[in-house]
Amino acid sequence: GLAGGMSAENIAKAVESGVDSVIVGVKLHYTHPDGRIGALDPARIRSLVEARDRASASVLGRSAQLLALLVYSEYEGLLSDAD
């Protein structure tokens, strides 16, 4: 996984590269003018979730999902020599 203040663009790139998890951190919160971190901001959450969903549905996102499934299947011994 990746950690740090992830933006919508960062989320999309992480999904398309096959990263299995990200930590968004303070980017999901309101930020007060003096820099203090406030409550969760529903609009920011929605924006990041929408970016994730768009990336997951893209050609690169689907390819990353299929590659991850293939790697998992091989690791678990679910593939035969013919596969």
Side-chain angles (χ1 to χ4, degrees):
L2 298 174
M6 304 289 285
S7 68
E9 181 181 348
N10 299 140
I11 295 289
K13 290 183 183 299
V15 168
E16 292 169 351
S17 68
V19 171
D20 62 348
S21 63
V22 297
I23 299 171
V24 177
V26 298
K27 294 267 188 184
L28 294 179
H29 295 264
Y30 291 106
T31 305
H32 297 281
D34 64 6
R36 289 179 298 125
I37 305 304
L40 290 171
D41 181 345
R44 289 182 181 185
I45 295 169
R46 195 170 21 263
S47 172
L48 292 177
V49 168
E50 288 169 354
R52 180 209 57 198
D53 291 349
R54 280 191 306 274
S56 292
S58 74
V59 171
L60 289 175
R62 291 292 300 141
S63 298
Q65 291 170 23
L66 292 172
L67 182 57
L69 178 60
L70 181 63
V71 169
Y72 172 79
S73 297
E74 170 64 21
Y75 174 79
E76 292 293 328
L78 302 174
L79 299 177
S80 68
D81 289 340
D83 295 324

